[in-house]
Amino acid sequence: MTVTNPRIAKFGTMAKKLDMKSSSNTDDPVVEDTNDIIYSLPNDETLYAITRSGHCKSLFLISLINKFGKRGGFDTIIQRISDKERWAPIETVNILAALVGNLHGVLHRNFAYNYIPKFKECVFQNILKSPDSNVRNFNKDRIDNIISAFDSLLKRCYSLPEKNQIIE
């Protein structure tokens, strides 16, 4: 039996509806993360990022992203955007969405499946339920930057039709 055999994979990690291809391979490239289940840490620790050819081969950068995650950086991003008492300004949401969006290619598959839907919900709630003082600062460029960050992020967790529906 090979290590990628679905019989020995953790429950819920294999049969996802992600391989719906686009009209051509160059239109919407997909991150090849099927071998991510091979990588693991002792004591079921979360692995946040791994090296991937075509995205990042820097072990230093990957180790920094993993340290950032272990110290609660990704959770802090969600808490900051979700804070209802101190609303995150659209500039902050824009920067944080771009930061996470630029990491889409190196995020570990299991972490991406858990984190990206939560991140999407808190960003969308921040934008949709923002107070009037924050809505005044919205402009087309900032919203477009957030949408472009989510364009690459959502491909990791959703099929292409689902991604397009969410973005619209």
Side-chain angles (χ1 to χ4, degrees), residues 74-84 87-88 93 96 115-130 150:
F74 290 107
D75 296 329
T76 304
I77 289 173
I78 287 184
Q79 289 172 359
R80 176 62 183 116
I81 294 174
S82 299
D83 191 359
K84 303 286 189 231
W87 281 94
V93 175
L96 293 175
Y115 186 76
I116 292 172
K118 289 184 220 173
F119 184 67
K120 173 189 73 87
E121 283 303 316
C122 75
V123 169
F124 285 11
Q125 290 303 317
N126 180 287
I127 291 172
L128 295 174
K129 296 187 178 183
S130 221
F150 273 101

Side-chain angles (χ1 to χ4, degrees), residues 13-29:
T13 59
M14 292 299 285
K16 300 273 183 189
K17 190 176 88 175
L18 296 174
D19 1 344
M20 294 180 71
K21 301 293 182 197
S22 59
S23 59
S24 76
N25 292 339
T26 58
D27 285 351
D28 224 355

